[in-house]
Amino acid sequence: MLDSTDVFTTIERSFGYDVRGQQIAKIDVERLERVLEADPFVLGADVFIDARNRIKISLSQREPVL
């Protein structure tokens, strides 16, 4: 099961820096979505910027078999 710490760790490992506190214009939302979807525990990811210029991440997790 994923939690927010796992998500931020995955993003930080891929980007090489913490995206929190960065300017919205400098964050590649499509890349962020691809990085999250590459995680084996993520079935799908939807990343977007809301009206208040905050990044929103919606994840669908894979169901564990065992």
Side-chain angles (χ1 to χ4, degrees), residues 20-32:
R20 292 176 283 193
Q22 297 291 323
Q23 293 179 356
I24 294 294
K26 292 185 177 183
I27 298 174
D28 185 355
V29 176
E30 291 178 17
R31 178 179 171 206
L32 218 142

Side-chain angles (χ1 to χ4, degrees), residues 1-7 10 36 39-44 59-62:
M1 306 305 281
L2 292 172
D3 62 9
S4 61
T5 305
D6 297 327
V7 172
T10 300
L36 292 172
D39 188 303
F41 296 108
V42 175
L43 180 62
L59 293 178
S60 301
Q61 293 187 43
R62 294 189 188 276

Side-chain angles (χ1 to χ4, degrees), residues 37-53:
E37 288 177 340
D39 188 303
F41 296 108
V42 175
L43 180 62
D46 187 28
V47 179
F48 59 93
I49 299 171
D50 69 3
R52 293 184 175 185
N53 286 330

